[in-house]
Amino acid sequence: MQERTLFACAGPVAVPIGPYNVVIRAHIETVKLLSALLALLAFFGFATCGFAAAKRVPLPRPRPAEIARPEPPAEASAEEPAPSSACRLRLTAELAVAPSLPALIGPGECNVEDVVRLEAVWLADRTRVAVTPPAILRCSFAEAIVQWVREDLAPAVRAFGRPLKSVDNYAAYDCRGRNRIIGAKLSEHGKANALDVRSVKLASGSVIELTDPAADKDFRERVRKSTCVRFTTVLGPGSDGYHENHVHVDLAERAGGHRMCQWDVREPGEEAVPLPPPRPAAAP
Ligand SMILES: [Zn+2]
C-alpha cells in the first residue's frame, strides 16, 4: 500500500530498508532530476539540432534556364583538307582529269603544295586526250599544260586529219638538279613546275616525235611557237645537248621576266649538237 502511494505521487520514495532508505531516495531524486534535465536538454537539443539541420539541408536550387553552350573553338587539324586554291577552282572537271594530291615533301628543297595528277585533258568537243603516264605537277603548271593542249596542240594536230589521242609524259615531278647533274641548281622538275614531252599520239595510232627531223616541220614549228609563248623556258634540240630527243617546258620565274626559247626545228641531215659527257642514269 505504501509502495502504491509512492508510485502514485511524485514525492520521496520511502523504502523501509534501514539506512539505505535515504540513499535510495536521494538516487531517485537525482535520477528524476537528471532525467528531467536530460529530457529538457534532449528536447531543446533536438529542437536546436533539428533547426540547425533544417538550416543545413540545402534547398533545391532553382532550375537554371537553358543556356546555349558555346561551340568549342575550331582547331586546325592536320586531317582537314587544305582549302581549295584559286588554281584548283579553275582547273575543273570540265577541263581535265586532274585529282589533287597531298603536298610533296622533300627531300631537300623539293617541297610542293597544291599538287595534281594530270591524267587527261578534255577538249572543247569532249575528246579526251590522255597524258601518258599521268603527270604529277603543281596546279598552276598543270593548268598551263591543259590550256596548251586544248588551245594550241590539239588544233595543230588537226592538220594530220586525226584527233589528238595522247601526250607523252617523258618526265614531270622529279627531285633532282638541272639535267640530272648532282649539285646543280634545283631543276624546275623538282618543283613540279616542268614537263618533258617526246611525242604526241593521234587517234589513228600514229606517233609524232617533236624532235624528229623527219616529222612534219610545219607542225613542229607551230608547236615550238606555241610553247615559247606559253612557257618561260623551252629547251629542245640545239639548246644544250641534253634535249635532243625531247622538249622541256617549264614556268621558271626569272629576274626581269627573262624567257628562254631554245629549240631548233631541224630538217633531215642537219647536224645535231654533240652530246656532252654521259649523264648518270637514263636521263631526259
Ligand atoms: Zn625537263
Side-chain angles (χ1 to χ4, degrees):
M1 185 64 192
Q2 199 172 0
E3 288 182 357
R4 201 176 295 137
T5 302
L6 171 71
F7 287 106
C9 68
V13 177
V15 180
I17 52 175
Y20 296 103
N21 190 29
V22 176
V23 174
I24 291 172
R25 184 166 54 200
H27 275 293
I28 290 174
E29 290 297 330
T30 304
V31 167
K32 284 184 176 178
L33 185 60
L34 287 173
S35 297
L37 285 171
L38 285 172
L40 201 60
L41 287 171
F43 173 76
F44 282 107
F46 174 79
T48 305
C49 290
F51 182 68
K55 284 180 69 178
R56 282 200 300 269
V57 173
L59 291 172
R61 293 182 179 178
R63 188 168 185 164
E66 287 292 329
I67 301 174
R69 293 185 178 180
E71 292 292 327
E75 296 180 3
S77 169
E79 298 176 358
E80 290 181 7
S84 295
S85 67
C87 172
R88 179 68 271 182
L89 295 174
R90 290 192 302 268
L91 192 57
T92 64
E94 295 290 311
L95 299 176
V97 181
S100 292
L101 296 181
L104 302 170
I105 308 298
E109 304 170 73
C110 300
N111 301 318
V112 188
E113 294 182 347
D114 201 8
V115 183
V116 303
R117 184 176 62 243
L118 181 58
E119 300 175 4
V121 178
W122 288 109
L123 303 184
D125 63 1
R126 304 310 296 160
T127 298
R128 187 180 191 275
V129 178
V131 177
T132 53
I136 295 175
L137 303 169
R138 65 173 57 214
C139 183
S140 55
F141 187 75
E143 186 180 26
I145 292 292
V146 169
Q147 292 171 346
W148 173 60
V149 170
R150 287 171 58 94
E151 299 170 17
D152 296 340
L153 193 57
V157 164
R158 288 196 195 112
F160 300 106
R162 294 287 187 277
L164 182 60
K165 178 71 175 177
S166 64
V167 176
D168 164 67
N169 161 26
Y170 193 36
Y173 174 70
D174 188 3
C175 186
R176 59 174 169 83
R178 288 181 180 173
N179 297 323
R180 295 187 181 274
I181 297 173
I182 298 171
K185 187 176 178 181
L186 181 67
S187 166
E188 292 298 311
H189 286 284
K191 305 173 186 175
N193 198 33
L195 182 67
D196 291 345
V197 181
R198 282 183 305 184
S199 62
V200 299
K201 192 174 188 179
L202 310 184
S204 61
S206 300
V207 175
I208 303 171
E209 301 275 349
L210 298 183
T211 59
D212 180 5
D216 185 274
K217 188 177 181 184
D218 289 343
F219 170 73
R220 288 182 291 128
E221 285 280 11
R222 186 170 173 174
V223 173
R224 188 189 70 82
K225 288 178 182 175
S226 69
T227 54
C228 288
V229 168
R230 291 192 177 273
F231 302 99
T232 56
T233 308
V234 178
L235 300 174
S239 58
D240 56 9
Y242 291 105
H243 300 86
E244 295 301 307
N245 66 345
H246 69 277
V247 174
H248 166 107
V249 296
D250 70 42
L251 282 175
E253 296 179 2
R254 299 185 184 87
H258 179 64
R259 307 171 74 94
M260 293 178 66
C261 175
Q262 299 177 359
W263 174 2
D264 293 341
V265 178
R266 298 195 177 110
E267 293 187 358
E270 289 186 344
E271 288 288 322
V273 174
L275 285 173
R279 289 167 281 164

